[in-house]
Amino acid sequence: DLHSFPTRRASYLRASAEKARQEREAACREKQAAREAQDREQERALTTVGLIVLVIGAIALLVAAIGVVNTMVMAALERTREIGVMRAIGATKRTVRRLFTVEAAMIGFLGGLVGIVAAFLLFTLAGALFADSFASFAGTSSGASFFTISPLIAVVVLVVTTLVGMISGALPARRAANLDPVEALRYE
């Protein structure tokens, strides 16, 4: 029995070490599974927030388009005599239509520019106030990079808002261009 004791002891130690290794691996797998579940939950939450922001943005764009249409209709109405004078001295319908379309596009462009500047200021403020919270949420060392506006997004916003302005101004521009010069000159 004395001779088999070291063999049994070594066998017992190997079995204990193997058991401990398996327990560590199981604990690591559980931690990994918990991290992956948390990552999936965070991704779902961010996707939901992104969809909500997208819907709000689409509604805001629609309201802005309606505002541009209203502004351009009122501009055409207020400048009816001016349009009549322009047409009477030789301006074509195309010139009047182009004038109103460019004006509507500028309204859209300036609205987009103001929106980008406001977003930049809000992101800068949020980055300063909540950098640590977002860094821990995102799993990075700095939350400042969480609040950025890419140049590509800024250009896309400017192009889209300009196009929305142009499209929204098309109907009022057509109505202004189709005014009869004689009737427009009589308008008070």
Side-chain angles (χ1 to χ4, degrees):
D1 258 345
L2 283 177
H3 294 299
S4 66
F5 178 74
T7 308
R8 278 188 293 164
R9 186 163 194 269
S11 176
Y12 172 75
L13 288 175
R14 273 194 299 273
S16 294
E18 180 63 24
K19 184 177 179 184
R21 186 185 63 76
Q22 288 174 351
E23 287 174 356
R24 280 194 312 271
E25 286 177 358
C28 285
R29 281 192 298 271
E30 287 176 16
K31 283 183 184 178
Q32 182 66 26
R35 266 190 241 121
E36 288 173 359
Q38 183 181 13
D39 288 347
R40 282 191 301 273
E41 188 64 33
Q42 285 178 349
E43 192 170 322
R44 265 189 248 123
L46 288 175
T47 301
T48 302
V49 168
L51 288 174
I52 291 169
V53 168
L54 182 69
V55 167
I56 290 171
I59 292 169
L61 202 56
L62 178 66
V63 169
I66 292 169
V68 170
V69 169
N70 184 44
T71 301
M72 296 311 297
V73 165
M74 293 308 295
L77 188 63
E78 289 173 359
R79 297 189 334 213
T80 300
R81 282 187 62 93
E82 182 183 323
I83 294 167
V85 169
M86 287 174 30
R87 295 273 294 144
I89 62 172
T92 63
K93 288 182 177 186
R94 183 177 181 185
T95 303
V96 174
R97 193 171 37 247
R98 197 177 277 163
L99 176 73
F100 277 83
T101 303
V102 168
E103 189 174 327
M106 288 304 299
I107 290 171
F109 178 82
L110 291 174
L113 191 61
V114 167
I116 289 170
V117 169
F120 177 77
L121 293 174
L122 284 173
F123 279 11
T124 301
L125 179 66
L129 294 175
F130 305 112
D132 295 336
S133 300
F134 280 102
S136 64
F137 175 75
T140 63
S141 59
S142 170
S145 63
F146 198 78
F147 295 103
T148 60
I149 299 174
S150 88
L152 177 64
I153 294 294
V155 169
V156 168
V157 165
L158 288 175
V159 168
V160 167
T161 56
T162 302
L163 286 174
V164 165
M166 286 178 70
I167 292 166
S168 299
L171 179 65
R174 195 174 100 218
R175 290 173 96 190
N178 289 334
L179 285 174
D180 180 38
V182 175
E183 290 300 316
L185 285 171
R186 283 191 206 152
Y187 185 80
E188 287 295 324

